[in-house]
Amino acid sequence: MRKMKRVLLAATIAAAILFLGSCTVWQMFFGPDKNSIDAWWPKDFKTGTRLSYSYHETYTDPSDNYKEKFTVEITDIDERETRTVIKTSEDGDIVYLIIDKDKREMVRSGDTIIDDNDEVILKTPVEEGTTWYNWTNTKYTIDQVKSSKTVEAGIFDDVVIIKVSDPDWQTITSVYLYYSVTGGNLGWTQTYDSSVSYYGIMENGIELTDIDKP
């Protein structure tokens, strides 16, 4: 009887190890590996996925407020040895999202080559305090991880909030980017000092409104 209990215990432990060894299950409990940049790409985003967004501008004079919609469609995913190149169409404009495993960063680019003109939107380790720079002086800092964000597309509880700052900005008071492990780019918000900003603009930004998966 004791031998049978030991066998059952060993089988249970082995099953638990296999269970927790599953990447999906591991992420369910512990989140993506903070040191693996490709773990932060939404796994169910395939070719044909369409992401709808709303862009807005808010002014001190409400009659000047502006809003428009646009769509981002994933048209191709090229899995390479050290990087994944995701080709998208932003209302007809071609934009690439490059996940570079060697550099451990996620980059937005106008082509398939990473250079200083591109924007690094996420970098490992994905943890509070991680910092990098775009375009020389623009500082990106991970402000929060596993945060919650409500957008029109839904509620996301796996959000990385990135704070952006630049010493050359004169009227911009804050910029925050919102990235989700399951929803991708949820959008960004940029606020202004309306007393000195042009035309009295107070805020602009984009928000994810819908995800259409094939």
Side-chain angles (χ1 to χ4, degrees):
M1 189 68 175
R2 290 180 180 177
K3 183 177 180 180
M4 180 60 70
K5 287 183 178 178
R6 287 197 297 269
V7 171
L8 290 173
L9 178 60
T12 302
I13 293 172
I17 291 172
L18 289 173
F19 181 77
L20 290 176
S22 164
C23 179
T24 302
V25 174
W26 178 271
Q27 290 190 21
M28 185 187 303
F29 288 98
F30 303 104
D33 181 352
K34 67 179 182 180
N35 295 308
S36 176
I37 191 63
D38 57 324
W40 294 82
W41 170 251
K43 299 307 179 186
D44 57 349
F45 277 19
K46 310 295 183 183
T47 299
T49 297
R50 293 170 60 90
L51 307 170
S52 299
Y53 291 91
S54 175
Y55 170 78
H56 72 274
E57 295 176 355
T58 304
Y59 294 82
T60 51
D61 183 350
S63 65
D64 292 330
N65 291 352
Y66 174 79
K67 180 177 280 191
E68 68 174 0
K69 296 182 178 181
F70 65 97
T71 301
V72 177
E73 180 178 0
I74 299 174
T75 58
D76 184 63
I77 299 178
D78 183 7
E79 296 281 359
R80 305 180 184 180
E81 185 176 354
T82 61
R83 63 173 54 176
T84 300
V85 180
I86 298 126
K87 184 179 180 181
T88 70
S89 173
E90 296 188 1
D91 275 356
D93 294 329
I94 302 302
V95 177
Y96 293 89
L97 187 68
I98 303 172
I99 302 170
D100 193 303
K101 299 174 186 177
D102 285 346
K103 294 183 178 180
R104 300 191 302 173
E105 60 188 21
M106 191 179 295
V107 179
R108 176 184 165 89
S109 176
D111 52 41
T112 60
I113 300 172
I114 298 177
D115 57 37
D116 292 340
N117 295 319
D118 299 328
E119 179 186 18
V120 177
I121 59 175
L122 193 64
K123 194 176 183 71
T124 63
V126 182
E127 62 185 9
E128 293 180 11
T130 294
T131 298
W132 64 93
Y133 287 84
N134 285 305
W135 313 300
T136 306
N137 290 327
T138 308
K139 182 180 179 182
Y140 286 50
T141 303
I142 295 179
D143 190 59
Q144 296 181 47
V145 295
K146 295 185 179 179
S147 183
S148 181
K149 176 71 174 174
T150 300
V151 294
E152 188 173 330
I155 301 172
F156 296 85
D157 296 318
D158 54 4
V159 180
V160 180
I161 300 179
I162 302 163
K163 182 179 181 179
V164 185
S165 60
D166 192 308
D168 295 329
W169 289 344
Q170 301 296 317
T171 61
I172 299 173
T173 56
S174 70
V175 177
Y176 287 95
L177 314 180
Y178 306 96
Y179 184 84
S180 164
V181 185
T182 53
N185 176 21
L186 299 185
W188 52 266
T189 56
Q190 184 167 262
T191 58
Y192 298 81
D193 181 345
S194 58
S195 65
V196 295
S197 64
Y198 295 110
Y199 311 111
I201 187 170
M202 297 188 296
E203 181 187 286
N204 65 343
I206 67 171
E207 178 181 326
L208 180 67
T209 60
D210 186 59
I211 303 175
D212 182 13
K213 301 173 186 175

